[in-house]
Amino acid sequence: MADVVQYRLERMVDELDDLESRGIFTRREIAEIVKQRRKFEYRLKRPSPLKQDFIAYIDYETQLDALRRLRKKAATRELLRQGKKKTKTRKSVSDFAPVSRIMEIYRLAVMRYKGDVELWFRYLEFCRQRKNGRMKKVLAQVIRFHPKLPGVWIYAAAWEFDHNLNVAAARALMQSGLRMCPNSEDLWVEYLRMELTYLNKLKARKVALGEDKGTLVRDKKDADEKQWKEENKDLFMSLDDEDKENNDHVSDEESEKKLDLFSEHASGLLKTVYSGAIQALPSSFSLRKQFLEILESIEVADSEELRSEILRDMKRDFSADPEYWDWLARLEMSDASITGEKNEDAMHSRLQMAVQVYEEAIEAVPSATMFKLYINFLLDAIASERGEVEAFSLSDHASSYISDILKAYEKAETTGCLTEELACQCISFYTQLGRLEEAKKVAENLCSGKLLDSVQLWLLRVSVEIRCITKDSLSSSKADALSIFELFRTVLTKMSISEAESLWIMALKFFANQKKSFEKLIELSLKAVAKYGGSENGFSLSSAVVNFILQKDGLKHAREVYKRFLALPHPGLALYKNCIELESNLASLGNEDSLVNTRKLYEAALATYDQDTSLWKDYHSVETKLGTSETAAAIYWRARKSLKDSAVDFTSPDQL
């Protein structure tokens, strides 16, 4: 290893001597360069060099070469400042060696990590930026190692097309890539773009020679100007004689024929590539969309026929896909922006056409996804017209959109496509409109149907009921409070604690200041914990109730309630930890009763959870801080005895 490294360093002597003789680096700096290179060379000669070793060496050499070039420019400016005549300096070995060295490191890296595509592309980019002659060879290597990677073929073809101006080679690479990766959307799209770009360049050359005019790229401004001139052609009547007018007419016809020639060629090209692409990827919806976008961005012969053909094929192949219908409807709106229809009536008519597409889609593909896409579209339309969804109210168009949304919700329910998400969205929509009574009726109806077990739906229903009660006054009557409690009782008794977490929190907050209802809620929570058991981790209903009572009624009442919960068969570790935290905080302030209660809670918890290491540690920590050394040691030895093999953390009492 040392011999190889020394040999490689000796090969750098001429370069380093040249750098010193030209005054770019000092001897001390060169010694540091040698030191760093020796370190990197030893890393690369290890039995298993890492990728990062190669990258670090490349980064170092790149930065060093950048510094060399800066100092060379500075030295040249200094010579000019001294009045010496500027002479063209011949490039020496120090100008070529850095690039050669970096290329060699890249070569070693990619040979070591042939499967690392990112490393290959870094290598290619370096070759491209430095305009190195090894680019073609590297491209051939990466294609050989990664023939199934579409990006490699696209990169190689782009280099041939843009850098070498070799269209034939670029076309051959693209076609080879399509044979190797026929299922790549990117390859098909980029191949079409390349061919159309080449055709446009040929047309641009004709324009530069004065043999043609215009481009294949569709320019809305030019189209509008042409349309205006045709509509006002009387303003552009020639003042010359009829012969010149006829000659101009003939020349215009010849120019149009040339234009048609390029447009027909582009049209035929698009048809050929499109047919090959859909044959290779018949189920790719995004590919069809990209072809349609390309068609709409260029001027080709029979563009309307081509567009109609693509749309027919899409409807034939994707009519069962909700995404297709959503795209088709939104295409109506994008067509309006392309054609420049900016007035309100035109946009509204376009939107009505989009709504018709959605209505057809709901008949063809009645699904929850389709209804969701339709409703979201209408919500976007309202938001764009009114600025904010909350300000629906007044526009005639907005009112019709709101009516369409409500009909869509009703139809989703009748067809059995109403999911939990759509149902919650429907109730929220009524609420945003300010129709609380209607929202209440809809929520009541939905909660008694197939969505009976939906927690989110019940949460919305309860919140709507509360808003209906409190909309006129901040407080509620006894009868209203009783009806809300019965509603809570209905849902809380049929759902597990973990499912109804948000409902329990809402109920505790709502009845916090209503003593009788809150006591009933505590009884209800005791029954729920007795039925489902307490929580080991996560949400603990009993802990939530204790914390509410502590904040509302104080410590004495909180102790009474948590003792009732602890008397249940399975109160849960989370409750024990919460009560221990409550009592230990008071004990740390000098409350002797709290220290006694803390020890009782720990003993009660360890009776069930004696294998919980953290519980033993916390107990020992409390005794260390608030108890005596004897009580702390006793807890330590009990923990060692109880945990046995699990007591890896209990090496000594001091480290507990």
Side-chain angles (χ1 to χ4, degrees), residues 552-594:
K552 188 170 74 74
D553 299 326
L555 177 63
K556 183 179 178 181
H557 195 192
R559 277 179 179 160
E560 293 175 0
V561 173
Y562 83 59
K563 287 177 181 178
R564 294 178 67 185
F565 277 111
L566 291 175
L568 297 174
H570 302 286
L573 182 59
L575 176 62
Y576 278 114
K577 287 185 175 181
N578 186 66
C579 297
I580 287 169
E581 183 181 2
L582 185 155
E583 296 289 359
S584 61
N585 287 338
L586 292 173
S588 63
L589 298 176
N591 191 320
E592 292 295 331
D593 292 338
S594 293

Side-chain angles (χ1 to χ4, degrees), residues 606-631:
L606 289 170
T608 306
Y609 305 100
D610 61 333
Q611 296 302 307
D612 191 294
T613 307
S614 63
L615 197 60
W616 282 107
K617 281 189 172 185
D618 293 341
Y619 193 7
H620 180 268
S621 178
V622 168
E623 289 295 347
T624 303
K625 293 176 182 177
L626 306 177
T628 63
S629 59
E630 289 80 5
T631 56

Side-chain angles (χ1 to χ4, degrees), residues 477-491:
S477 64
K478 291 183 179 180
D480 292 333
L482 182 61
S483 66
I484 294 294
F485 183 81
E486 291 301 322
L487 189 61
F488 272 116
R489 184 201 296 273
T490 302
V491 62

Side-chain angles (χ1 to χ4, degrees), residues 240-420:
D240 296 337
D241 55 10
E242 293 183 0
D243 293 337
K244 184 174 181 180
E245 190 175 311
N246 293 333
N247 290 336
D248 289 343
H249 184 66
V250 171
S251 62
D252 288 342
E253 288 182 352
E254 291 177 355
S255 179
E256 287 179 5
K257 287 180 180 179
K258 292 177 182 178
L259 179 63
D260 290 340
L261 182 63
F262 280 102
S263 298
E264 287 174 6
H265 193 173
S267 177
L269 181 66
L270 201 148
K271 285 179 182 177
T272 304
V273 178
Y274 170 73
S275 61
I278 62 171
Q279 187 175 358
L281 293 163
S283 60
S284 176
F285 178 62
S286 60
L287 182 64
R288 312 283 182 97
K289 289 196 295 184
Q290 291 183 77
F291 271 101
L292 196 62
E293 289 169 4
I294 292 173
L295 175 62
E296 290 176 347
S297 65
I298 61 173
E299 294 281 358
V300 298
D302 305 324
S303 60
E304 288 301 322
E305 293 181 10
L306 274 171
R307 187 177 189 273
S308 300
E309 181 184 350
I310 294 174
L311 289 174
R312 281 197 305 271
D313 291 346
M314 292 173 79
K315 187 171 185 178
R316 179 195 65 205
D317 297 335
F318 303 104
S319 58
D321 187 358
E323 183 187 357
Y324 159 74
W325 291 101
D326 183 56
W327 169 83
L328 187 63
R330 291 179 184 273
L331 185 65
E332 295 290 343
M333 302 304 297
S334 63
D335 286 346
S337 60
I338 290 172
T339 55
E341 297 177 8
K342 298 295 183 181
N343 62 78
E344 186 178 351
D345 292 336
M347 291 297 292
H348 179 64
S349 63
R350 283 284 183 176
L351 198 140
Q352 287 301 316
M353 292 172 67
V355 168
Q356 290 176 9
V357 173
Y358 277 115
E359 292 289 345
E360 182 184 351
I362 289 172
E363 296 296 331
V365 191
S367 64
T369 305
M370 193 67 255
F371 278 102
K372 181 181 176 181
L373 292 171
Y374 180 24
I375 292 167
N376 287 342
F377 172 80
L378 291 173
L379 288 173
D380 291 342
I382 295 173
S384 64
E385 180 170 337
R386 300 298 302 163
E388 292 186 3
V389 179
E390 288 80 6
F392 293 152
S393 54
L394 305 173
S395 166
D396 292 338
H397 295 332
S399 299
S400 66
Y401 304 153
I402 291 170
S403 176
D404 290 337
I405 291 174
L406 297 178
K407 288 177 183 177
Y409 282 127
E410 292 175 4
K411 197 165 187 178
E413 184 180 5
T414 55
T415 54
C417 298
L418 193 70
T419 60
E420 179 184 2

Side-chain angles (χ1 to χ4, degrees), residues 95-112:
D95 295 310
F96 300 105
V99 175
S100 300
R101 185 176 302 105
I102 294 172
M103 296 286 292
E104 180 62 17
I105 299 169
Y106 267 123
R107 187 190 67 80
L108 294 172
V110 295
M111 289 298 106
R112 179 77 185 180

Side-chain angles (χ1 to χ4, degrees), residues 368 371-377 379 405-406 408-409 418-433 439 442 446 451 456-457 460:
F371 278 102
K372 181 181 176 181
L373 292 171
Y374 180 24
I375 292 167
N376 287 342
F377 172 80
L379 288 173
I405 291 174
L406 297 178
Y409 282 127
L418 193 70
T419 60
E420 179 184 2
E421 182 183 1
L422 281 175
C424 293
Q425 195 180 47
C426 177
I427 297 171
S428 300
F429 186 71
Y430 273 110
T431 306
Q432 289 173 349
L433 291 173
V442 170
L446 292 174
L451 299 174
Q456 289 299 321
L457 200 57
L460 271 174

Side-chain angles (χ1 to χ4, degrees), residues 462-499:
V462 172
S463 64
V464 169
E465 293 274 2
I466 292 172
R467 287 186 64 177
C468 287
I469 291 171
T470 59
K471 67 179 178 179
D472 296 325
S473 61
L474 296 177
S475 60
S476 57
S477 64
K478 291 183 179 180
D480 292 333
L482 182 61
S483 66
I484 294 294
F485 183 81
E486 291 301 322
L487 189 61
F488 272 116
R489 184 201 296 273
T490 302
V491 62
L492 293 177
T493 53
K494 70 172 68 173
M495 292 185 182
S496 66
I497 295 173
S498 58
E499 290 176 335

